[in-house]
Amino acid sequence: MADFLSELSALLRCPVTGQQLHIASPEELRAISPDDGKDADGFLVREDGQAAYPVKNGIPSLLAEAAIGLAPADRKAESCRNGCEATAGPSNLKPEDF
């Protein structure tokens, strides 16, 4: 799956911003809540690192409502000291957050 997605991800774009997507790195995967990723085989992350789209059964779900908001690493570390509230999940992510 990784080889196919590597080639395909070069063509795929975020449906909200049009930014290029790439396969999530191990570090990016750690930023995704286990609840958000429980059914996913992997994730495609937006170029700016602010959103990830799940890949299920080898098929990327590129719908705006499927996006999982990701906090930047420096903001995430700070927010976790304050209760880990900066990472948005699919239930509270809105297109204007992009």
Side-chain angles (χ1 to χ4, degrees), residues 17-47:
T17 66
Q19 293 178 34
Q20 189 170 359
L21 301 171
H22 65 269
I23 296 172
S25 69
E27 182 178 295
E28 291 167 327
L29 288 173
R30 284 191 290 276
I32 298 170
S33 161
D35 290 337
D36 290 336
K38 63 183 172 189
D39 296 330
D41 303 326
F43 291 88
L44 293 173
V45 178
R46 199 169 67 194
E47 192 172 47

Side-chain angles (χ1 to χ4, degrees), residues 62-76:
L62 298 180
L63 302 171
E65 56 270 10
I68 297 167
L70 303 176
D74 55 343
R75 266 191 34 216
K76 185 171 178 70

Side-chain angles (χ1 to χ4, degrees), residues 54-98:
V55 177
K56 298 178 183 178
N57 298 319
I59 302 170
S61 180
L62 298 180
L63 302 171
E65 56 270 10
I68 297 167
L70 303 176
D74 55 343
R75 266 191 34 216
K76 185 171 178 70
E78 178 63 32
S79 68
C80 284
R81 287 191 283 269
N82 299 319
C84 289
E85 296 174 354
T87 303
S91 61
N92 62 357
L93 191 65
K94 299 177 239 84
E96 58 268 16
D97 293 334
F98 295 97

